[in-house]
Amino acid sequence: MIQFQYTRATQPKAAVDAVTKEKNSMFIAGGTNLVDLMKRGITVPQRLVDINRLPLKDIKKEGSSLRIGALALNSQVAENKMVLQSHPLLAQALNAGASAQIRNMATVGGNMLQRTRCPYFYDTTMPCNKRQPGTGCGALEGYNRMHAIFGFSDRCIAVHPSDMSVALMALDASVLVTGPSGDRRIPFADFHRLPGDRPDIDTTLRPGELITAVDVPDSPFTKNVHYLKVRDRASYAFALVSVAAALDIKKNRIEGARLAMGGVAHKPWRLAEAEKFLVGKPVSEATFTEAANIAMQGAKAFKHNAFKLRLAPNSIVQALKTAAKLV
Ligand code: SF4
């Protein structure tokens, strides 16, 4: 284990000041990903600023949104009555993630910031542009079964591992942050980045910025929702493909739809064209199959993940059917 300094902050401003004043400083909350990264020498902070005592754990109504504090634990959010009533899709996605032990440690902010599980990123003997820019990508010509089919670049084909973030993407959430230049709100769709030529940068957070909360706006998607996660094991495995599906159905007609996928891109992947197609259509397997075909336009596979080109549309149809209670 590397040597590092440790500071505990009790207010957001003090935390931001502490992380800003010293180079290579990082916030730590649950540490469920960061400690692994430090043990392997992938992330080497000089100072950790412990934010666990910041007053950012509340889950409360705020106008027409539910505001979830960045330090609320994944398990607390998944069991919260307001979340279960107004955003059951989010609860389902949280319960699909990791293990019960990790959900009891991991925070909402940390979940969004977890790094890819690409095996080459964690193997410091292999090239990886995300870990060490300019070294190459071990996965491009390597074993790329878990990798992206959308939005990748010739520098990186990794996927984002969070389940919770897929639901937040579908639910049009936004991320509240505070930093050296003050507070701002980031639409969830703009929070995670595609790799482009800088795969080492995962998000649009600016240096020193701290996530304080996530706002999830009220929506009609309270009944017909489903989070489908397809993975190699029934528990404690990352998604090969996941689908967050939410429908607003009136008299067998789709009034509104939200769809996002995980395990397919460097960020949670919103299926906007398929959503548009679904609105106004009757609830049927044929409708869902056509939406899935639209969603898959532009997908491209690598040597070992071609199965995702079939798994993904099949998963979309299955998630929509389950959300619509057709199965
Ligand atoms: Fe690294 Fe991305 Fe290539 Fe994986 S896919 S080896 S994370 S550059």
Side-chain angles (χ1 to χ4, degrees), residues 116 118 120-121 127-130 136-139 147 155-158:
T116 185
C118 171
Y120 299 96
F121 176 70
C128 173
N129 288 322
K130 184 180 280 296
C137 171
H147 290 73
R155 306 279 176 94
C156 180
I157 60 171

Side-chain angles (χ1 to χ4, degrees), residues 70-248:
L71 291 175
L73 300 178
N74 287 192
S75 53
Q76 290 170 337
V77 180
E79 290 161 13
N80 181 273
K81 274 190 187 147
M82 288 183 289
V83 173
L84 286 166
Q85 270 169 14
S86 60
H87 302 297
L89 182 65
L90 176 59
Q92 287 182 23
L94 280 161
N95 280 325
S99 64
Q101 291 91 338
I102 289 177
R103 293 196 293 273
N104 282 335
M105 281 298 291
T107 62
V108 164
N111 188 324
M112 290 157 48
L113 294 176
Q114 63 180 298
R115 306 210 70 190
T116 185
R117 263 54 179 195
C118 171
Y120 299 96
F121 176 70
Y122 286 85
D123 183 346
T124 52
T125 66
M126 296 298 293
C128 173
N129 288 322
K130 184 180 280 296
R131 174 171 29 80
Q132 213 175 343
T135 56
C137 171
L140 262 176
E141 301 298 328
Y143 189 55
N144 42 39
R145 178 173 178 268
M146 297 290 290
H147 290 73
I149 54 173
F150 290 110
F152 50 79
S153 73
D154 60 358
R155 306 279 176 94
C156 180
I157 60 171
V159 298
H160 195 266
S162 166
D163 292 296
M164 179 196 76
S165 295
V166 181
L168 290 175
M169 177 69 113
L171 293 168
D172 267 344
S174 54
V175 185
L176 278 65
V177 304
T178 187
S181 309
D183 302 340
R184 68 184 180 115
R185 179 186 292 271
I186 308 171
F188 206 83
D190 298 335
F191 183 79
H192 295 99
R193 292 180 69 254
L194 290 178
D197 58 4
R198 290 300 307 270
D200 52 312
I201 304 173
D202 289 342
T203 72
T204 55
L205 279 176
R206 296 172 189 153
E209 281 188 329
L210 170 74
I211 301 170
T212 55
V214 175
D215 274 358
V216 192
D218 294 346
S219 75
F221 306 108
T222 55
K223 276 201 320 232
N224 293 108
V225 301
H226 187 62
Y227 187 76
L228 175 67
K229 181 174 182 177
V230 183
R231 49 186 156 176
D232 287 327
R233 295 189 304 267
S235 168
Y236 198 29
F238 295 96
L240 292 165
V241 165
S242 68
V243 181
L247 295 169
D248 179 21

